[in-house]
Coordinates of all heavy atoms in Angstrom, one line a residue:
Chain A
M231 N 90.7 -92.6 -8.2 CA 89.6 -91.7 -7.8 C 89.6 -91.4 -6.3 O 90.0 -92.2 -5.5 CB 88.3 -92.4 -8.2 CG 87.3 -91.5 -8.6 SD 86.0 -92.4 -9.5 CE 86.3 -92.0 -11.2
K232 N 89.2 -90.2 -6.0 CA 89.1 -89.8 -4.6 C 88.2 -90.7 -3.8 O 87.1 -91.1 -4.3 CB 88.6 -88.4 -4.5 CG 89.7 -87.4 -4.4 CD 89.0 -86.1 -4.2 CE 89.8 -84.9 -4.1 NZ 88.9 -83.7 -4.1
K233 N 88.5 -90.9 -2.6 CA 87.6 -91.6 -1.7 C 86.2 -91.1 -1.6 O 86.0 -89.9 -1.5 CB 88.2 -91.6 -0.3 CG 89.4 -92.5 -0.1 CD 89.7 -92.6 1.3 CE 91.1 -93.2 1.4 NZ 91.5 -93.6 2.8
G234 N 85.2 -91.9 -1.7 CA 83.9 -91.5 -1.5 C 83.2 -90.7 -2.6 O 82.0 -90.4 -2.6
I235 N 84.0 -90.5 -3.7 CA 83.4 -89.7 -4.8 C 82.3 -90.4 -5.6 O 81.3 -89.7 -5.9 CB 84.6 -89.2 -5.7 CG1 84.3 -87.8 -6.3 CG2 84.9 -90.1 -6.9 CD1 84.5 -86.7 -5.3
M236 N 82.5 -91.7 -5.7 CA 81.5 -92.4 -6.5 C 80.1 -92.4 -5.7 O 79.1 -92.5 -6.3 CB 81.9 -93.9 -6.6 CG 83.0 -94.1 -7.6 SD 82.4 -94.5 -9.2 CE 81.8 -96.2 -8.9
E237 N 80.2 -92.3 -4.4 CA 79.0 -92.4 -3.6 C 78.2 -91.1 -3.6 O 77.2 -91.0 -3.0 CB 79.4 -92.8 -2.1 CG 79.6 -94.3 -2.1 CD 80.5 -94.7 -0.9 OE1 81.5 -94.0 -0.7 OE2 80.1 -95.7 -0.2
L238 N 78.8 -90.0 -4.2 CA 78.1 -88.8 -4.3 C 77.3 -88.7 -5.6 O 76.5 -87.9 -5.8 CB 79.1 -87.6 -4.3 CG 80.0 -87.4 -3.1 CD1 81.0 -86.3 -3.3 CD2 79.2 -87.2 -1.8
A239 N 77.6 -89.6 -6.6 CA 77.2 -89.5 -7.9 C 75.8 -90.1 -8.2 O 75.5 -91.2 -7.8 CB 78.2 -90.1 -8.9
D240 N 74.9 -89.3 -8.8 CA 73.6 -89.8 -9.3 C 73.7 -90.5 -10.6 O 72.8 -91.2 -11.0 CB 72.6 -88.6 -9.4 CG 72.3 -88.1 -8.0 OD1 72.0 -88.9 -7.1 OD2 72.4 -86.9 -7.8
T241 N 74.8 -90.2 -11.3 CA 75.2 -91.0 -12.5 C 76.7 -90.9 -12.8 O 77.3 -89.9 -12.4 CB 74.4 -90.5 -13.7 OG1 74.6 -91.4 -14.8 CG2 74.8 -89.1 -14.2
V242 N 77.2 -91.9 -13.4 CA 78.6 -91.8 -13.9 C 78.5 -91.8 -15.5 O 77.8 -92.7 -16.1 CB 79.4 -93.0 -13.5 CG1 80.8 -92.9 -14.1 CG2 79.5 -93.0 -11.9
I243 N 79.1 -90.8 -16.1 CA 79.1 -90.7 -17.6 C 80.5 -91.0 -18.1 O 81.4 -90.3 -17.8 CB 78.7 -89.3 -18.0 CG1 77.4 -88.8 -17.4 CG2 78.6 -89.2 -19.5 CD1 76.2 -89.5 -17.8
V244 N 80.6 -92.1 -18.8 CA 81.9 -92.4 -19.5 C 81.9 -91.7 -20.8 O 81.2 -92.1 -21.8 CB 82.1 -94.0 -19.7 CG1 83.4 -94.3 -20.3 CG2 81.9 -94.7 -18.3
N245 N 82.6 -90.7 -20.9 CA 82.7 -89.8 -22.1 C 83.7 -90.4 -23.1 O 84.4 -91.3 -22.8 CB 83.1 -88.4 -21.7 CG 82.9 -87.4 -22.8 OD1 82.3 -87.6 -23.8 ND2 83.5 -86.2 -22.6
K246 N 83.8 -89.8 -24.2 CA 84.7 -90.2 -25.3 C 84.5 -91.6 -25.8 O 85.4 -92.4 -26.1 CB 86.2 -90.1 -24.8 CG 86.5 -88.7 -24.3 CD 88.0 -88.5 -24.1 CE 88.2 -87.0 -23.6 NZ 89.6 -86.8 -23.2
A247 N 83.2 -92.0 -25.7 CA 82.8 -93.3 -26.3 C 82.6 -93.2 -27.8 O 81.5 -93.2 -28.3 CB 81.5 -93.8 -25.6
D248 N 83.7 -93.1 -28.5 CA 83.7 -92.9 -29.9 C 84.9 -93.6 -30.6 O 85.9 -93.9 -29.9 CB 83.6 -91.5 -30.3 CG 84.5 -90.6 -29.5 OD1 85.7 -90.9 -29.4 OD2 84.1 -89.6 -29.0
G249 N 84.7 -94.0 -31.9 CA 85.8 -94.6 -32.6 C 86.3 -95.8 -32.0 O 85.6 -96.7 -31.5
A250 N 87.6 -95.9 -32.0 CA 88.3 -97.1 -31.4 C 88.1 -97.2 -29.9 O 88.3 -98.3 -29.4 CB 89.8 -97.0 -31.7
N251 N 87.7 -96.2 -29.3 CA 87.5 -96.1 -27.9 C 86.2 -96.7 -27.4 O 86.0 -96.9 -26.2 CB 87.7 -94.7 -27.4 CG 88.2 -94.6 -26.0 OD1 88.9 -95.5 -25.5 ND2 87.7 -93.6 -25.3
K252 N 85.3 -96.9 -28.3 CA 83.9 -97.2 -28.0 C 83.7 -98.5 -27.2 O 83.0 -98.5 -26.2 CB 83.0 -97.2 -29.2 CG 81.6 -97.3 -28.9 CD 80.7 -96.7 -30.0 CE 79.2 -96.6 -29.6 NZ 78.4 -95.9 -30.6
Q253 N 84.4 -99.6 -27.7 CA 84.2 -100.8 -27.0 C 84.8 -100.8 -25.5 O 84.1 -101.3 -24.6 CB 85.0 -102.0 -27.7 CG 84.2 -102.4 -29.0 CD 82.8 -102.8 -28.7 OE1 82.4 -103.5 -27.8 NE2 81.8 -102.2 -29.5
M254 N 85.9 -100.1 -25.4 CA 86.5 -100.0 -24.1 C 85.5 -99.2 -23.2 O 85.4 -99.4 -22.0 CB 87.8 -99.3 -24.2 CG 88.4 -99.4 -22.9 SD 90.1 -99.6 -22.5 CE 90.9 -98.2 -23.3
A255 N 84.9 -98.1 -23.8 CA 84.0 -97.3 -23.0 C 82.8 -98.1 -22.5 O 82.4 -98.0 -21.3 CB 83.5 -96.1 -23.8
L256 N 82.3 -99.0 -23.3 CA 81.2 -99.9 -22.9 C 81.6 -100.8 -21.7 O 80.9 -101.0 -20.8 CB 80.7 -100.7 -24.1 CG 79.9 -99.8 -25.1 CD1 79.6 -100.6 -26.4 CD2 78.5 -99.3 -24.4
R257 N 82.9 -101.3 -21.8 CA 83.3 -102.2 -20.7 C 83.5 -101.4 -19.4 O 83.2 -101.8 -18.4 CB 84.7 -102.8 -21.1 CG 84.6 -104.0 -22.0 CD 85.8 -104.9 -22.0 NE 87.0 -104.2 -22.4 CZ 87.4 -104.1 -23.7 NH1 86.6 -104.5 -24.7 NH2 88.5 -103.4 -24.0
T258 N 84.0 -100.2 -19.6 CA 84.2 -99.3 -18.4 C 82.9 -99.0 -17.8 O 82.7 -99.1 -16.6 CB 84.9 -98.0 -18.8 OG1 86.1 -98.3 -19.5 CG2 85.2 -97.1 -17.6
K259 N 81.9 -98.7 -18.6 CA 80.5 -98.4 -18.1 C 80.0 -99.6 -17.3 O 79.4 -99.4 -16.2 CB 79.6 -98.2 -19.3 CG 78.1 -98.2 -19.0 CD 77.3 -98.5 -20.2 CE 75.9 -99.1 -19.9 NZ 75.4 -99.4 -18.6
A260 N 80.2 -100.8 -17.8 CA 79.8 -102.0 -17.1 C 80.5 -102.2 -15.7 O 79.8 -102.5 -14.7 CB 80.0 -103.3 -18.0
E261 N 81.8 -101.8 -15.7 CA 82.5 -101.9 -14.4 C 81.9 -100.9 -13.4 O 81.7 -101.2 -12.3 CB 84.0 -101.5 -14.7 CG 84.8 -102.6 -15.3 CD 85.1 -103.8 -14.4 OE1 84.7 -103.7 -13.2 OE2 85.6 -104.8 -14.9
Y262 N 81.7 -99.7 -13.9 CA 81.1 -98.7 -13.0 C 79.7 -99.1 -12.5 O 79.4 -98.9 -11.4 CB 81.0 -97.3 -13.8 CG 82.2 -96.5 -13.7 CD1 83.1 -96.4 -14.8 CD2 82.6 -95.9 -12.5 CE1 84.3 -95.6 -14.7 CE2 83.8 -95.2 -12.4 CZ 84.6 -95.0 -13.5 OH 85.8 -94.3 -13.4
D263 N 78.9 -99.7 -13.4 CA 77.6 -100.1 -13.0 C 77.7 -101.2 -11.9 O 76.9 -101.1 -10.9 CB 76.9 -100.8 -14.2 CG 76.0 -99.8 -14.9 OD1 75.5 -98.8 -14.2 OD2 75.7 -99.9 -16.1
K264 N 78.7 -102.0 -12.0 CA 78.9 -103.1 -11.0 C 79.2 -102.4 -9.6 O 78.7 -102.8 -8.6 CB 80.0 -104.0 -11.4 CG 79.9 -105.4 -10.8 CD 81.1 -106.3 -11.1 CE 81.2 -106.6 -12.6 NZ 82.4 -107.3 -13.0
I265 N 80.1 -101.4 -9.6 CA 80.5 -100.8 -8.4 C 79.3 -100.0 -7.8 O 79.0 -100.0 -6.6 CB 81.7 -99.8 -8.6 CG1 82.8 -100.4 -9.3 CG2 82.1 -99.2 -7.3 CD1 83.6 -101.5 -8.5
L266 N 78.6 -99.3 -8.7 CA 77.5 -98.5 -8.2 C 76.5 -99.4 -7.6 O 75.8 -99.0 -6.6 CB 76.9 -97.7 -9.4 CG 77.7 -96.5 -9.9 CD1 77.1 -96.0 -11.2 CD2 77.7 -95.4 -8.9
H267 N 76.3 -100.6 -8.1 CA 75.4 -101.5 -7.5 C 75.7 -101.9 -6.1 O 74.8 -102.1 -5.3 CB 75.4 -102.8 -8.4 CG 74.5 -103.9 -7.9 ND1 73.1 -103.8 -8.1 CD2 74.8 -105.0 -7.2 CE1 72.6 -104.9 -7.5 NE2 73.6 -105.7 -7.0
F268 N 77.0 -101.9 -5.8 CA 77.4 -102.2 -4.4 C 77.3 -101.0 -3.5 O 77.3 -101.3 -2.2 CB 78.9 -102.7 -4.5 CG 79.0 -104.1 -5.0 CD1 79.9 -104.4 -6.0 CD2 78.3 -105.1 -4.4 CE1 80.1 -105.7 -6.4 CE2 78.4 -106.4 -4.9 CZ 79.3 -106.7 -5.9
L269 N 77.3 -99.9 -4.0 CA 77.3 -98.7 -3.1 C 75.9 -98.2 -2.7 O 75.0 -98.5 -3.4 CB 78.1 -97.5 -3.8 CG 79.5 -97.8 -4.2 CD1 80.1 -96.6 -5.0 CD2 80.4 -98.0 -2.9
Q270 N 75.8 -97.5 -1.6 CA 74.6 -96.9 -1.2 C 74.3 -95.8 -2.2 O 75.1 -95.1 -2.6 CB 74.6 -96.4 0.2 CG 74.4 -97.4 1.2 CD 73.7 -96.8 2.4 OE1 73.6 -95.6 2.6 NE2 73.1 -97.7 3.3
P271 N 73.0 -95.7 -2.6 CA 72.7 -94.6 -3.6 C 72.9 -93.2 -3.0 O 72.8 -93.0 -1.8 CB 71.2 -94.8 -3.8 CG 70.7 -95.6 -2.7 CD 71.8 -96.4 -2.2
A272 N 73.4 -92.3 -3.9 CA 73.6 -90.9 -3.5 C 72.3 -90.2 -3.1 O 72.3 -89.3 -2.3 CB 74.3 -90.2 -4.6
T273 N 71.3 -90.7 -3.8 CA 69.9 -90.1 -3.6 C 69.0 -91.2 -3.3 O 68.9 -92.1 -4.0 CB 69.5 -89.3 -4.8 OG1 70.4 -88.3 -5.1 CG2 68.1 -88.6 -4.6
K274 N 68.2 -91.0 -2.2 CA 67.3 -92.0 -1.7 C 66.3 -92.3 -2.8 O 65.7 -91.4 -3.4 CB 66.5 -91.4 -0.5 CG 66.0 -92.5 0.4 CD 65.3 -91.9 1.6 CE 64.2 -92.8 2.2 NZ 63.4 -92.1 3.2
G275 N 66.1 -93.6 -3.1 CA 65.1 -94.0 -4.0 C 65.6 -93.9 -5.5 O 64.8 -94.1 -6.4
W276 N 66.8 -93.6 -5.7 CA 67.4 -93.5 -7.1 C 68.6 -94.4 -7.2 O 69.6 -94.3 -6.5 CB 67.8 -92.0 -7.3 CG 68.5 -91.8 -8.7 CD1 69.8 -91.6 -8.9 CD2 67.8 -91.8 -9.9 NE1 70.0 -91.5 -10.2 CE2 68.8 -91.6 -10.9 CE3 66.5 -91.9 -10.4 CZ2 68.6 -91.5 -12.3 CZ3 66.2 -91.8 -11.7 CH2 67.2 -91.6 -12.7
G277 N 68.5 -95.3 -8.1 CA 69.6 -96.2 -8.4 C 70.5 -95.6 -9.4 O 70.2 -95.5 -10.6
S278 N 71.7 -95.2 -8.9 CA 72.7 -94.5 -9.8 C 73.2 -95.5 -10.8 O 73.6 -96.6 -10.4 CB 73.8 -94.0 -8.9 OG 73.4 -93.0 -8.0
R279 N 73.3 -95.1 -12.0 CA 73.8 -96.0 -13.1 C 74.8 -95.3 -14.0 O 74.9 -94.0 -13.9 CB 72.6 -96.5 -13.9 CG 71.9 -97.7 -13.2 CD 70.6 -98.0 -14.0 NE 70.9 -98.4 -15.4 CZ 70.1 -98.1 -16.4 NH1 68.9 -97.6 -16.2 NH2 70.4 -98.5 -17.6
A280 N 75.5 -96.0 -14.7 CA 76.6 -95.5 -15.6 C 76.0 -95.4 -17.0 O 75.2 -96.3 -17.4 CB 77.8 -96.3 -15.5
F281 N 76.5 -94.4 -17.8 CA 76.1 -94.3 -19.2 C 77.4 -93.9 -20.0 O 78.4 -93.4 -19.4 CB 75.1 -93.2 -19.4 CG 73.8 -93.6 -18.7 CD1 73.6 -93.2 -17.4 CD2 72.8 -94.3 -19.4 CE1 72.4 -93.6 -16.7 CE2 71.6 -94.6 -18.7 CZ 71.4 -94.3 -17.4
T282 N 77.3 -94.2 -21.3 CA 78.4 -93.7 -22.2 C 77.9 -92.5 -23.0 O 76.7 -92.4 -23.2 CB 78.9 -94.8 -23.1 OG1 77.9 -95.2 -24.0 CG2 79.5 -96.0 -22.3
C283 N 78.8 -91.7 -23.5 CA 78.4 -90.7 -24.4 C 79.7 -90.2 -25.2 O 80.8 -90.5 -24.8 CB 77.8 -89.5 -23.7 SG 78.9 -88.3 -23.0
S284 N 79.4 -89.5 -26.3 CA 80.6 -88.9 -26.9 C 80.2 -87.4 -27.1 O 79.4 -87.1 -28.0 CB 80.8 -89.5 -28.3 OG 81.7 -88.7 -29.1
A285 N 80.7 -86.6 -26.3 CA 80.4 -85.2 -26.4 C 81.0 -84.6 -27.7 O 80.4 -83.7 -28.3 CB 81.1 -84.4 -25.2
M286 N 82.1 -85.2 -28.1 CA 82.7 -84.7 -29.4 C 81.8 -85.0 -30.6 O 81.7 -84.1 -31.4 CB 84.0 -85.5 -29.5 CG 84.9 -85.1 -30.7 SD 85.7 -83.5 -30.4 CE 87.2 -84.1 -29.6
Y287 N 81.2 -86.1 -30.6 CA 80.3 -86.5 -31.8 C 78.8 -86.4 -31.4 O 78.0 -86.9 -32.2 CB 80.7 -87.9 -32.3 CG 82.1 -87.9 -32.8 CD1 83.1 -88.4 -32.0 CD2 82.4 -87.5 -34.1 CE1 84.4 -88.4 -32.5 CE2 83.7 -87.5 -34.6 CZ 84.7 -88.0 -33.8 OH 86.0 -88.0 -34.3
N288 N 78.5 -85.7 -30.3 CA 77.1 -85.5 -29.9 C 76.3 -86.8 -29.9 O 75.2 -86.8 -30.4 CB 76.5 -84.5 -30.9 CG 75.3 -83.8 -30.2 OD1 74.8 -84.2 -29.2 ND2 74.7 -82.8 -30.9
E289 N 76.9 -87.8 -29.3 CA 76.1 -89.1 -29.1 C 75.8 -89.4 -27.7 O 76.7 -89.2 -26.8 CB 77.0 -90.2 -29.7 CG 77.0 -90.2 -31.2 CD 78.0 -91.2 -31.8 OE1 78.5 -92.1 -31.0 OE2 78.3 -91.1 -33.0
G290 N 74.6 -89.7 -27.4 CA 74.2 -90.1 -26.1 C 73.8 -88.9 -25.2 O 73.5 -89.1 -24.0
I291 N 73.9 -87.7 -25.7 CA 73.7 -86.5 -24.9 C 72.2 -86.4 -24.5 O 71.9 -86.1 -23.4 CB 74.1 -85.3 -25.7 CG1 75.6 -85.3 -26.0 CG2 73.8 -84.0 -25.0 CD1 76.5 -85.3 -24.8
A292 N 71.3 -86.6 -25.5 CA 69.9 -86.5 -25.2 C 69.5 -87.5 -24.1 O 68.6 -87.3 -23.3 CB 69.1 -86.7 -26.5
D293 N 70.1 -88.7 -24.2 CA 69.8 -89.8 -23.2 C 70.1 -89.3 -21.8 O 69.4 -89.6 -20.8 CB 70.6 -91.0 -23.5 CG 70.2 -91.6 -24.8 OD1 69.1 -91.3 -25.3 OD2 71.0 -92.4 -25.4
I294 N 71.2 -88.6 -21.6 CA 71.6 -88.1 -20.3 C 70.6 -87.1 -19.8 O 70.2 -87.2 -18.6 CB 73.0 -87.5 -20.4 CG1 74.0 -88.6 -20.7 CG2 73.4 -86.8 -19.1 CD1 75.4 -88.1 -21.0
W295 N 70.1 -86.2 -20.6 CA 69.0 -85.3 -20.2 C 67.8 -86.1 -19.8 O 67.1 -85.7 -18.8 CB 68.7 -84.3 -21.3 CG 67.6 -83.4 -20.9 CD1 66.4 -83.3 -21.4 CD2 67.7 -82.4 -19.8 NE1 65.6 -82.3 -20.7 CE2 66.4 -81.8 -19.7 CE3 68.7 -82.0 -18.9 CZ2 66.1 -80.8 -18.8 CZ3 68.4 -81.1 -17.9 CH2 67.1 -80.4 -17.9
Q296 N 67.5 -87.1 -20.5 CA 66.3 -88.0 -20.1 C 66.5 -88.6 -18.7 O 65.5 -88.7 -17.9 CB 66.0 -89.0 -21.1 CG 65.3 -88.4 -22.4 CD 64.8 -89.5 -23.3 OE1 64.8 -90.7 -23.0 NE2 64.3 -89.1 -24.4
V297 N 67.7 -89.0 -18.4 CA 68.0 -89.5 -17.1 C 67.7 -88.5 -16.0 O 67.1 -88.7 -15.0 CB 69.5 -90.0 -17.0 CG1 69.9 -90.4 -15.6 CG2 69.7 -91.3 -17.9
I298 N 68.2 -87.3 -16.3 CA 68.0 -86.2 -15.3 C 66.5 -85.8 -15.2 O 66.0 -85.6 -14.1 CB 68.8 -84.9 -15.8 CG1 70.3 -85.3 -15.7 CG2 68.5 -83.7 -14.9 CD1 71.2 -84.2 -16.3
E299 N 65.8 -85.9 -16.3 CA 64.3 -85.6 -16.2 C 63.6 -86.7 -15.4 O 62.8 -86.4 -14.6 CB 63.7 -85.5 -17.6 CG 64.0 -84.2 -18.3 CD 63.0 -83.9 -19.4 OE1 62.8 -84.8 -20.2 OE2 62.4 -82.8 -19.4
K300 N 64.1 -87.9 -15.6 CA 63.5 -89.0 -14.9 C 63.8 -88.9 -13.4 O 62.9 -89.1 -12.5 CB 64.1 -90.3 -15.4 CG 63.5 -91.6 -14.7 CD 62.1 -91.9 -15.2 CE 61.5 -93.0 -14.4 NZ 60.0 -93.1 -14.7
F301 N 65.0 -88.5 -13.1 CA 65.5 -88.3 -11.7 C 64.6 -87.2 -11.0 O 64.1 -87.4 -9.9 CB 66.9 -87.8 -11.7 CG 67.5 -87.4 -10.4 CD1 68.0 -88.4 -9.5 CD2 67.4 -86.1 -9.9 CE1 68.5 -88.0 -8.3 CE2 67.9 -85.7 -8.7 CZ 68.5 -86.7 -7.9
T302 N 64.4 -86.1 -11.7 CA 63.6 -85.0 -11.2 C 62.2 -85.5 -10.9 O 61.6 -85.2 -9.8 CB 63.6 -83.8 -12.2 OG1 64.9 -83.6 -12.6 CG2 63.0 -82.6 -11.5
E303 N 61.6 -86.2 -11.8 CA 60.2 -86.7 -11.7 C 60.1 -87.6 -10.5 O 59.3 -87.4 -9.6 CB 59.9 -87.5 -13.0 CG 58.4 -87.9 -13.1 CD 58.2 -88.9 -14.2 OE1 58.8 -88.7 -15.3 OE2 57.6 -89.9 -14.0
V304 N 61.0 -88.6 -10.4 CA 61.0 -89.6 -9.3 C 61.2 -88.9 -7.9 O 60.4 -89.1 -7.0 CB 62.1 -90.7 -9.5 CG1 62.3 -91.5 -8.2 CG2 61.8 -91.5 -10.7
T305 N 62.2 -88.0 -7.8 CA 62.5 -87.4 -6.5 C 61.5 -86.3 -6.1 O 61.3 -86.1 -5.0 CB 63.9 -86.8 -6.5 OG1 64.1 -85.9 -7.6 CG2 65.0 -87.9 -6.6
Q306 N 60.9 -85.7 -7.1 CA 59.9 -84.7 -6.8 C 58.6 -85.4 -6.3 O 58.0 -85.0 -5.3 CB 59.6 -83.8 -8.0 CG 60.6 -82.7 -8.1 CD 60.4 -81.7 -9.2 OE1 59.5 -82.0 -10.1 NE2 61.1 -80.6 -9.2

Side-chain angles (χ1 to χ4, degrees):
Chain A
M231 212 164 257
K232 261 187 184 172
K233 287 191 192 189
I235 213 75
M236 288 267 289
E237 282 157 317
L238 302 176
D240 292 310
T241 186
V242 175
I243 307 290
V244 182
N245 191 16
K246 304 189 181 177
D248 41 51
N251 207 31
K252 191 153 185 176
Q253 283 310 311
M254 187 147 57
L256 286 169
R257 280 201 300 277
T258 304
K259 168 204 155 357
E261 285 288 355
Y262 275 107
D263 266 333
K264 206 185 296 174
I265 308 292
L266 286 170
H267 176 78
F268 283 129
L269 299 174
Q270 278 216 343
T273 302
K274 205 179 153 190
W276 176 255
S278 298
R279 283 171 54 210
F281 297 88
T282 61
C283 81
S284 166
M286 185 74 87
Y287 297 96
N288 201 353
E289 286 171 11
I291 298 297
D293 296 338
I294 293 169
W295 178 248
Q296 281 192 6
V297 169
I298 296 170
E299 280 201 312
K300 183 73 192 167
F301 173 90
T302 312
E303 191 192 315
V304 168
T305 55
Q306 281 182 345

